[in-house]
Amino acid sequence: RFYCDYCDTYLTHDSPSVRKTHCSGRKHKENVKDYYQKWMEEQAQSLIDKTTAAFQQGKIPPTPFSAPPPAGAMIPPPPSI
């Protein structure tokens, strides 16, 4: 018996043709897509959490654009083409 981790199911017969049919099915493809989408979201959230923690510990300086310009400050015009 073959177990598909993405679909959380066992295939009743384990043969190459059954696996190929299963893996080319719509539901299996959706499950694979959902699995990797969730994995990417977890990776992104982990990176955000690490960056936030580093910033709060003072390991990352604030960017020059994070604060509004002081009152009366002139903003330079964009470069001409």
Side-chain angles (χ1 to χ4, degrees), residues 14-78:
D14 186 17
S15 68
S17 64
V18 170
R19 283 190 195 191
K20 184 176 180 181
T21 302
H22 171 77
C23 292
S24 63
R26 176 188 55 83
K27 237 179 133 180
H28 175 79
K29 289 180 180 180
E30 285 178 7
N31 289 338
V32 171
K33 185 184 89 173
D34 291 344
Y35 174 85
Y36 284 105
Q37 180 68 34
K38 183 178 176 186
W39 183 82
M40 288 294 293
E41 289 170 0
E42 289 171 358
Q43 294 300 309
Q45 188 61 52
S46 173
L47 183 61
I48 291 167
D49 293 343
K50 287 178 184 176
T51 304
T52 302
F55 179 77
Q56 289 174 343
Q57 293 173 1
K59 294 179 181 177
I60 301 174
T63 64
F65 302 108
S66 62
M74 300 219 19
I75 299 172

